[in-house]
Amino acid sequence: MTVRVICDFDGTIAEKDMIAAIMRRFVPVQAEPIIQAVQTGEKAIRDGVEEMFRLIPSDRYDDVVEFATENTVVRPGFPEFIHRCGQLGWKVAVVSGGFDFFVHPVIHSLSTPVDIFCNRIDSSGPFLRVVWAVSCDDVCEGGCGLCKPSVMRQLKDDEATRFIVIGDGVTDFKAAREGDYVFARARLLELVRDQDLPASPFDTFYDIEREIADGGSPLYENI
Ligand SMILES: [Zn+2]
């Protein structure tokens, strides 16, 4: 059996949602209704994120990168959690709807190898343009932006692969439904509880580690 951990970045590894923070810093008035529409599910994530980046002129790209780098706060226990996964032989993939310029610095500071799936920005035109790393496959209903269930299907070694999904928001829900066990906080916790998916809440990565160390955890009935 292979255990794979699919871990979101924004609001999960990083304490805050960096895309929303960037928009609130650079284009607050125009972005707010788009942020709301994505969060309520009225607007597809893909469309919302593309629209918001198109509001920012490319000559501000360096400022955006600097703002994101300075404002990324990592949730406590993350390096220790990744180290623990390495000891257990669990393969971790950070699967983020966010961008290389704020995801890579955090992940590359770890000593354990981790796969990264995230997007990048094309700043060659007059306004910023999102380049999605993984689009929806035929099985997905579409609209994801970076399609987390598609990544999981790519990573599925065989029928014995078990997925632990860690996340916080609406963008993690499709992945959570495909997973065997979920660690959830914030909006994702409400969504997985509504659907009775096997899940535990977490606040820091120490909470997840504690549960991994507990042989009686429902985690082990599901993976
Ligand atoms: Zn999709």
Side-chain angles (χ1 to χ4, degrees):
M1 181 179 85
T2 307
V3 175
R4 286 190 176 272
V5 176
I6 303 296
C7 190
D8 171 52
F9 188 84
D10 270 285
T12 301
I13 297 170
E15 292 205 334
K16 285 193 192 141
D17 182 336
M18 187 49 69
I19 295 178
I22 289 168
M23 296 310 156
R24 287 178 171 136
R25 166 74 180 75
F26 289 90
V27 282
V29 177
Q30 304 101 303
E32 200 56 44
I34 306 176
I35 293 171
Q36 297 305 328
V38 169
Q39 280 171 357
T40 58
E42 240 171 277
K43 191 183 277 289
I45 295 153
R46 183 184 181 98
D47 297 339
V49 173
E50 286 182 1
E51 272 177 43
M52 289 194 288
F53 276 96
R54 272 203 305 266
L55 295 168
I56 302 177
S58 288
D59 61 9
R60 311 263 354 241
Y61 181 60
D62 290 347
D63 298 334
V64 170
V65 172
E66 191 186 328
F67 171 80
T69 312
E70 284 175 358
N71 287 281
T72 300
V73 179
V74 175
R75 190 171 298 277
F78 178 65
E80 294 89 338
F81 165 71
I82 293 297
H83 183 70
R84 183 89 183 111
C85 290
Q87 287 177 328
L88 292 165
W90 295 359
K91 296 174 183 172
V92 180
V94 172
V95 185
S96 168
F99 293 88
D100 53 0
F101 60 84
F102 56 82
V103 174
H104 283 191
V106 173
I107 306 306
H108 289 160
S109 69
L110 302 167
S111 51
T112 309
V114 169
D115 290 325
I116 306 175
F117 297 83
C118 65
N119 309 302
R120 64 184 180 83
I121 291 289
D122 172 10
S123 60
S124 64
F127 292 90
L128 299 182
R129 187 178 70 85
V130 175
V131 182
W132 299 107
V134 183
S135 295
C136 297
D137 61 14
D138 295 342
V139 183
C140 185
E141 63 206 359
C144 293
L146 184 140
C147 184
K148 297 185 182 192
S150 295
V151 171
M152 290 167 75
R153 284 187 278 276
Q154 286 178 20
L155 290 174
K156 191 167 186 169
D157 307 274
D158 53 49
E159 288 310 312
T161 303
R162 294 289 177 271
F163 285 104
I164 297 170
V165 175
I166 306 174
D168 74 306
V170 63
T171 61
D172 301 305
F173 185 53
K174 284 185 197 172
R177 277 191 312 205
E178 304 283 323
D180 297 287
Y181 201 78
V182 185
F183 288 99
R185 53 177 300 280
R187 179 74 181 125
L188 182 65
L189 185 59
E190 297 170 4
L191 292 168
V192 297
R193 283 187 167 157
D194 281 351
Q195 300 271 317
D196 272 330
L197 298 178
S200 295
F202 76 99
D203 183 34
T204 71
F205 282 92
Y206 294 120
D207 300 331
I208 301 179
E209 256 200 283
R210 223 177 349 260
E211 192 139 345
I212 290 171
D214 173 8
S217 161
L219 166 69
Y220 294 104
E221 293 162 22
N222 290 283
I223 65 167

